Amino acid sequence: MKTTSFLLISLIGLFLVSCSEDFLEYEPEGVLSSENVATAENAESLVIAAYAGIANDDMIGPLTHQWVFGSVRSDDAYKGGGGRGDVGEVDRYEQYNLTIPDQGELMAPRTWTNYYKAISRANFALRVINEIPDGEFANKTLRQAELRFLRAHSHFMLKLIFKKIPYITEDLTQDEVAQVSNDVDNDALWNTIAEDFLFAYNNLPNSQEEVGRADRNAAAAYLAKLRLYQAYEQNDQHQVININTSRLEEVISYVDEVAGSLESDFGNNFLDGFDNGPESIWAAQFSINDGTTVGRVSFVTGLNSPHGTGLYGCCGFHLASQNMVNAFKTDASGLPLLDTFNDTDIFTNVDSNGETPPDGGLTVDPRLDHTVGVPGRPFKYRNTVNETGDMIYNFSWARDPGVYGYFGNMKEQQAPDCSCYVKEGPFVGTSKNVDFIRYADVLLWKAEALIQLDRLSEALPIINQIRARAAASTQRPLDAGAEDIYNIGEYTSFPDKDFAWKALKFERRLEFAMEGHRWYDLVRWGEAGQVLSAYLAEERTKRDFLANAEFTAGRDEYYPIPQREIDFTGGVYVQNPGY
C-alpha cells in the first residue's frame, strides 16, 4: 500500500525467503513459524506481506497486468519483440500451440506458482491470526476479512486462467493440501471463491484509512464480477449452455452498492498522479524512491516499451493488432462500425517521415490516442521530452515491423521523464498502480446483465455514460499536436437485443483495449472460438507469422494445468480437455 510502502521493503527481507517445492503449504523457513509470531504486531506485518504477494509478479509470471493471457492471446494485440523466437513461449500462446502441458518455467506454470505463493502467504497469516485471542487483537476480524479477500482474488484469477484449480485454505494440513482435487464442479468452485468474498463483504468497512487495503466496496465489486462470470454456465467443453438470470440479478444488486465514479478524462486512468482515484476500485499498489535500488515498482510490462528510440528501453512487446486499430473507426454519427469495422484497414500508408497520414474522411473514437501508438501521432500526450526527445510516435519505434507491424501500446507506458519511471538495465518499471477493477468495468457489468435480462432501456444510458466520458477526453492529445479526427457520439436507442448486445461487447473492447480483459470476456461469453477463428482468417492475410495459428474450441479457452503439478500430486490433479 502506498501509505505503508516502507514496510513492504523491510518485509521482503523478513518473509520472502525461498520455499519448499510444495508451495501450496508455504511457510517461510528458518525465520518465523505460526508458533512464534502469534502476536498482533507480527500479524499486522504478515497481512502486509500478503498484500505484497498479490503483486509479486514479473514480466513472465504475471499476477497483475494480463498482457499475455488477456491481450496477446486475444484479437487485441500481437506478441511483438524481436521476431517469433524472442520469448518464444509467448509465441506459442499467440499461435494457440500449447498442446504440451508444461512449457518450462515461463508463463502459465510460473503464474500458477506465483498465485499459489500469494495464497500461501494469506493462509499463513490466517493461521497465525486465528490463534490470537480476540482480546489481544482488536483488528482480528478485519484482518481475517482482508486476507480472505486476497485469497479469493488469487483463486479467482487462477480460475479465469486454468478453470480447474484446487482451492487451498488455511485449515488444511500439508498432507490434506496434497489431496485437494482440482476436478470439482464448476459452479461449486465459483461458490467456494464467493464464500471468501462474502466474508470480506460482511466484515470489511466501506472504506479504509490506509489506501490500498481491501474494503467492502471492493468486495461488492468482486462479488458482482464473480456472479457475472458464474452466470454463463459452461459444460466440460467450455461451451456456454445456459445464462443464469438469478446470477445476473445478483450482479445488478452488488453493482448498485459499489461507490465510485468515472475519471473526468479517460487518460487519467493511465497516468502517474491519479492512482487510487474515484475510478480505481481495486488495484495493485506500487511505489518508488524508498531507499532501495529500484523501489517497489512494477516490471510486469517491462518488456513492452517502444524499442526504436533512446527515450525508452527495450523490447517492443505487446503491439496493437490491425484488427484492434480498425475497431476505433466511427461512422458519421460517431458510432462504432459494429459489423463492418474490419472491412478496411486504417493507418496503413507510412510516408517518408515514418508517419501514417489518416485517410481522408476518417474519424475515430478518441480512445485510440490513449491506447495505441500510431506513427505521426503524439505518444503519451507529449510531442517532446525535456525539449530534446521527440515523442511523436514513429515507424522507427517498431522493433520488427516486417513481422508485427508498427502499432505500439500506450496505456501501460509513462513518459520517460516521469518521477514514477525507473530503468533496470534495458527494462522499464514504474510505480504506477495496476488496476484490477475500475469503475467503468463495474458500470459495464451492470449494462451487460441488464441486456441479458432484456432491460435494454436501462442499459442504454450506462453505455452512453462511458461514451460521453470518452468524448470529453480529447484535450491531452490535441494539446500535444494530434490531428483532430475525433468523432464520437451516443446511441439514441437500442432497436433490439441483438444490437444492444453487440454495442455492449464493442464498448467493452474499446474501453479496455490492451488492458488484458478481452480474452476473458470472449471466454465468458462462449464466443472465443467464433471470434478468434474469424480474426485469424483475416489477420493472417496481413501478418504472415499467424499463417499457421489455429484456435481449437473446447481446448484453448483455458490453459493446461502444469504437468509438474499433476506429477507432484501423484495424479490427484486432472488435466484440462484437449491437452
Side-chain angles (χ1 to χ4, degrees):
M1 294 160 286
K2 289 191 182 291
T3 55
T4 55
S5 60
F6 66 93
L7 287 174
L8 296 177
I9 304 305
S10 62
L11 284 164
I12 289 173
L14 184 60
F15 298 113
L16 306 191
V17 295
S18 61
C19 63
S20 64
E21 183 178 11
D22 186 8
F23 55 82
L24 293 181
E25 188 62 19
Y26 172 67
E27 182 174 300
E29 297 175 354
V31 179
L32 299 171
S33 71
S34 57
E35 288 76 24
N36 63 26
V37 295
T39 68
E41 181 181 2
N42 288 335
E44 291 285 7
S45 296
L46 285 170
V47 173
I48 294 174
Y51 273 100
I54 66 165
N56 276 348
D57 57 5
D58 52 41
M59 293 174 279
I60 53 176
L63 301 182
T64 54
H65 198 295
Q66 298 288 303
W67 70 270
V68 174
F69 298 144
S71 187
V72 170
R73 186 84 160 156
S74 77
D75 49 357
D76 270 10
Y78 311 134
K79 173 183 78 72
R84 291 186 58 184
D86 190 7
V87 192
E89 181 162 340
V90 179
D91 179 75
R92 291 192 287 274
Y93 281 76
E94 186 169 21
Q95 303 285 330
Y96 311 104
N97 184 20
L98 292 175
T99 53
I100 300 173
D102 236 358
Q103 301 282 358
E105 288 295 317
L106 300 180
M107 296 314 302
R110 189 162 180 167
T111 298
W112 175 287
T113 299
N114 284 343
Y115 274 122
Y116 276 111
K117 284 183 178 179
I119 290 165
S120 293
R121 286 183 181 220
N123 283 335
F124 181 72
L126 280 166
R127 283 196 296 273
V128 170
I129 290 174
N130 293 345
E131 294 177 4
I132 303 175
D134 293 354
E136 297 179 14
F137 190 16
N139 287 331
K140 180 175 180 177
T141 302
L142 172 62
R143 300 305 183 225
Q144 287 171 324
E146 289 179 57
L147 290 166
R148 290 186 67 172
F149 178 96
L150 296 175
R151 182 171 71 186
H153 162 79
S154 292
H155 280 111
F156 182 93
M157 292 305 302
L158 281 162
K159 188 173 188 332
L160 292 193
I161 296 168
F162 297 101
K163 190 174 185 177
K164 291 181 178 291
I165 61 164
Y167 203 91
I168 308 301
T169 54
E170 83 280 7
D171 56 328
L172 299 174
T173 67
Q174 188 168 352
D175 288 341
E176 289 170 337
V177 165
Q179 295 304 311
V180 176
S181 174
N182 72 327
D183 191 19
V184 297
D185 176 76
N186 196 51
D187 196 61
L189 181 55
W190 281 126
N191 285 333
T192 300
I193 300 172
E195 287 175 10
D196 271 347
F197 281 131
L198 282 165
F199 184 87
Y201 173 81
N202 289 324
N203 291 282
L204 289 174
N206 290 330
S207 61
Q208 298 240 38
E209 182 178 348
E210 293 178 305
V211 175
R213 288 189 184 271
D215 56 22
R216 191 174 190 268
N217 203 49
Y222 234 135
L223 282 165
K225 184 174 185 177
L226 185 148
R227 295 310 189 196
L228 182 63
Y229 276 82
Q230 188 178 17
Y232 294 87
E233 297 174 354
Q234 297 182 354
N235 62 17
D236 290 340
Q237 287 72 48
H238 319 316
Q239 297 170 322
V240 174
I241 55 175
N242 182 55
I243 300 177
N244 188 314
T245 57
S246 65
R247 294 300 185 199
L248 296 176
E249 295 286 0
E250 286 186 81
V251 172
I252 296 169
S253 177
Y254 282 121
V255 164
D256 286 345
E257 293 195 40
V258 177
S261 62
L262 298 178
E263 288 279 3
S264 59
D265 189 293
F266 181 66
N268 291 359
N269 292 295
F270 317 108
L271 281 172
D272 181 62
F274 294 92
D275 284 341
N276 303 310
E279 192 163 343
S280 179
I281 304 300
W282 170 236
Q285 306 286 317
F286 297 98
S287 61
I288 200 170
N289 297 328
D290 51 25
T292 61
T293 303
V294 296
R296 175 68 176 176
V297 299
S298 171
F299 282 98
V300 70
T301 58
L303 291 170
N304 301 354
S305 58
H307 185 78
T309 169
L311 296 173
Y312 286 95
C314 184
C315 297
F317 283 76
H318 193 207
L319 306 180
S321 70
Q322 182 68 60
N323 182 289
M324 174 76 266
V325 173
N326 290 344
F328 286 97
K329 289 187 289 189
T330 57
D331 65 16
S333 300
L335 296 176
L337 308 178
L338 300 179
D339 296 311
T340 60
F341 75 95
N342 207 37
D343 286 356
T344 58
D345 295 337
I346 58 175
F347 300 117
T348 56
N349 298 315
V350 180
D351 64 21
S352 59
N353 296 318
E355 300 179 355
T356 55
D359 299 332
L362 172 69
T363 60
V364 299
D365 186 308
R367 284 172 289 190
L368 171 74
D369 280 331
H370 298 270
T371 305
V372 180
V374 177
R377 303 188 72 79
F379 191 73
K380 210 62 187 180
Y381 324 121
R382 307 285 288 277
N383 48 43
T384 61
V385 172
N386 297 329
E387 299 181 356
T388 58
D390 187 358
M391 283 285 284
I392 301 298
Y393 192 89
N394 192 278
F395 178 87
S396 65
W397 289 25
R399 185 176 179 188
D400 199 342
V403 176
Y404 296 112
Y406 41 78
F407 298 120
N409 68 73
M410 198 186 308
K411 284 181 176 177
E412 63 213 54
Q413 305 301 327
Q414 298 298 315
D417 59 351
C418 178
S419 61
C420 66
Y421 177 99
V422 66
K423 287 179 70 173
E424 182 70 3
F427 306 118
V428 172
T430 80
S431 59
K432 178 75 178 73
N433 284 359
V434 177
D435 283 309
F436 295 122
I437 299 175
R438 54 185 179 88
Y439 191 63
D441 210 2
V442 177
L443 290 175
L444 289 176
W445 296 336
K446 182 175 182 179
E448 181 175 338
L450 288 168
I451 290 169
Q452 292 289 23
L453 292 169
D454 295 308
R455 294 161 62 179
L456 311 185
S457 62
E458 295 173 71
L460 178 68
I462 298 175
I463 293 175
N464 278 341
Q465 182 180 355
I466 301 293
R467 295 186 63 77
R469 194 268 296 273
S473 303
T474 61
Q475 200 58 50
R476 281 197 179 100
L478 290 175
D479 285 348
E483 181 180 355
D484 187 354
I485 54 173
Y486 306 130
N487 183 25
I488 181 169
E490 299 179 17
Y491 294 98
T492 57
S493 66
F494 288 154
D496 53 45
K497 184 175 182 178
D498 180 64
F499 185 94
W501 183 232
K502 287 180 181 179
L504 178 280
K505 291 186 293 184
F506 218 91
E507 201 61 35
R508 284 198 59 83
R509 190 180 189 195
L510 296 173
E511 179 71 14
F512 300 107
M514 303 187 78
E515 292 181 51
H517 294 259
R518 176 65 170 169
W519 170 268
Y520 302 113
D521 285 346
L522 293 174
V523 173
R524 175 174 81 252
W525 299 327
E527 297 183 0
Q530 174 188 350
V531 170
L532 296 175
S533 293
Y535 161 74
L536 291 171
E538 176 66 22
E539 207 77 358
R540 67 168 55 101
T541 67
K542 305 163 188 176
R543 303 286 184 257
D544 290 346
F545 78 95
L546 291 171
N548 296 314
E550 183 176 358
F551 183 94
T552 300
R555 181 193 72 190
D556 291 332
E557 290 88 349
Y558 296 92
Y559 302 93
I561 307 302
Q563 188 62 42
R564 68 186 184 194
E565 308 306 330
I566 296 174
D567 295 342
F568 182 73
T569 61
V572 172
Y573 296 170
V574 301
Q575 187 54 268
N576 279 324
Y579 293 106

